[in-house]
Amino acid sequence: MAARHYRRLQGLFCVYKPPGVHWKLVRDTVETNLLKDLNASASRPVPREVRYLLSQDSTKDEDAPKALTLSAASVPVLSKHPLVTGPDFQHIKVGVGHRLDAFSSGVLVLGIGNANKVLNDLYNSRVTRDYTVEGVFGSATDDFSNQGRIIERSTYSHITQDKLEKVLAMLQGANQKALLTYSRVDMRSQEAYEMAVQGLLGPEEKSVPILLRLRCICFEPPNFTLEVQVINETQKYLCKVVHEIGLELRSTAVCKGIRRTRDGRFTVHHALTHNQWTAAEVMNAIQQCHTTKKRKRDTREQNKNSELHVEERDISTSQNTTHRIDAFN
């Protein structure tokens, strides 16, 4: 049963990393819980073997010589005892995708076993990620976060939501130009248009961080909250974006919190919280990921087949029209 459970643990899933916790501690905790559950399901009785043991006959006369007898007995095989051999599962490879620093929280994608190869491809791919970023106007720090050393204070009463949204639109427009530059696709071609419609337009290789969407979802001075979609980013870069927004508004700003809500196809709704970091919950999450991936693949194949049928029908209609015109002439 334990071996079957281990095979079912091969795949990708995501957990919710709380703020203030290093990603390595999250990975190690998940790994420890999985090993504990696997070894609990793998516990089996110690095998026994038959051995012949010497024993002395008990007689009432203490002075009489005691005879030795040979008797068969069933005894445990101590070389197979768990205290000697150790647990059946002593290591399980848990890999981490796009990492989160200790300051940030949110979706953290993990992979087990053979899925680590897929995890590396996901880490190096151009998948987009969504964040909720909280900022505070009025101060600047040495690391652009509210936990750093304050180096400047400023006023913010002149900042309005309209001014903030104009700055966000300017930053998004500048990043859209960078996206086109790094995509290496002729913008006047049909291929570029189709890729843009399907949302596939992006850098071919690792590039500088690029903001794809940037909008304000809450404005309560001095606090504000941004919804960000980005590619090739780090959390340090997002803190710097908040700092630059403050400078553009003739003020200063620091980042108060970063929460990742989506990493590729994994969203915060798929993330397992701390009390769900068990083998059973992880197996269910991996199975759900496999099912969703298969459903999307089947949908793409159906759409592709329907498009082929439409093209064949259009070609057949065109040919029939041509034959009728020729017959008429």
Side-chain angles (χ1 to χ4, degrees), residues 30-258:
V30 171
E31 184 175 324
T32 301
N33 291 349
L34 293 179
L35 287 174
K36 180 180 178 181
D37 292 345
L38 284 174
N39 287 314
S41 63
S43 60
R44 55 182 181 272
V46 179
R48 306 182 70 85
E49 63 181 359
V50 176
R51 286 193 177 184
Y52 292 93
L53 305 177
L54 289 174
S55 60
Q56 292 180 341
D57 291 339
S58 57
T59 57
K60 295 181 180 180
D61 189 357
E62 296 180 357
D63 296 332
K66 297 180 179 179
L68 297 176
T69 59
L70 195 64
S71 59
S74 175
V75 296
V77 181
L78 297 181
S79 61
K80 302 294 184 180
H81 197 281
L83 296 179
V84 178
T85 61
D88 291 348
F89 295 91
Q90 300 184 14
H91 178 70
I92 182 171
K93 176 63 176 176
V94 179
V96 183
H98 198 85
R99 296 168 178 82
L100 285 169
D101 58 22
F103 175 72
S104 308
S105 64
V107 177
L108 183 67
V109 181
L110 304 178
I112 301 178
N114 297 331
N116 283 284
K117 299 178 181 178
V118 182
L119 195 63
N120 290 332
D121 296 337
L122 178 66
Y123 182 77
N124 296 320
S125 64
R126 59 185 186 187
V127 297
T128 60
R129 284 168 284 273
D130 293 346
Y131 291 87
T132 300
V133 180
E134 298 180 0
V136 182
F137 291 118
S139 62
T141 60
D142 55 352
D143 63 353
F144 311 128
S145 74
N146 63 341
Q147 298 180 353
R149 180 174 59 87
I150 296 178
I151 58 177
E152 183 182 354
R153 293 187 185 276
S154 60
T155 60
Y156 55 85
S157 57
H158 62 282
I159 300 176
T160 62
Q161 186 168 358
D162 290 339
K163 292 180 179 180
L164 174 60
E165 290 179 349
K166 287 180 180 178
V167 171
L168 298 181
M170 180 194 67
L171 289 176
Q172 184 171 335
N175 280 266
Q176 288 292 339
K177 293 181 180 178
L179 177 65
L180 300 179
T181 301
Y182 285 100
S183 61
R184 297 182 181 180
V185 178
D186 185 4
M187 291 298 105
R188 296 170 295 181
S189 64
Q190 180 67 21
E191 178 188 4
Y193 172 76
E194 293 178 353
M195 291 178 66
V197 170
Q198 299 176 10
L200 301 177
L201 199 61
E204 290 294 332
E205 301 173 352
K206 276 287 184 180
S207 66
V208 297
I210 299 176
L211 294 169
L212 302 178
R213 187 176 67 244
L214 187 63
R215 73 185 185 96
C216 178
I217 59 176
C218 181
F219 183 75
E220 297 176 354
N223 301 303
F224 63 97
T225 305
L226 305 178
E227 188 178 74
V228 183
Q229 186 178 93
V230 66
I231 188 172
N232 296 336
E233 83 294 343
T234 62
Q235 287 77 57
K236 184 73 173 179
Y237 168 76
L238 296 176
C239 291
K240 189 175 180 180
V241 168
V242 173
H243 172 73
E244 292 176 351
I245 290 173
L247 295 180
E248 290 291 338
L249 290 168
R250 303 293 189 270
S251 181
T252 54
V254 294
C255 183
K256 188 173 68 173
I258 297 176

Side-chain angles (χ1 to χ4, degrees), residues 20-32 277:
V21 179
H22 199 280
W23 63 265
K24 288 184 179 179
L25 180 60
V26 174
R27 179 199 61 189
D28 294 344
T29 303
V30 171
E31 184 175 324
T32 301
W277 297 351

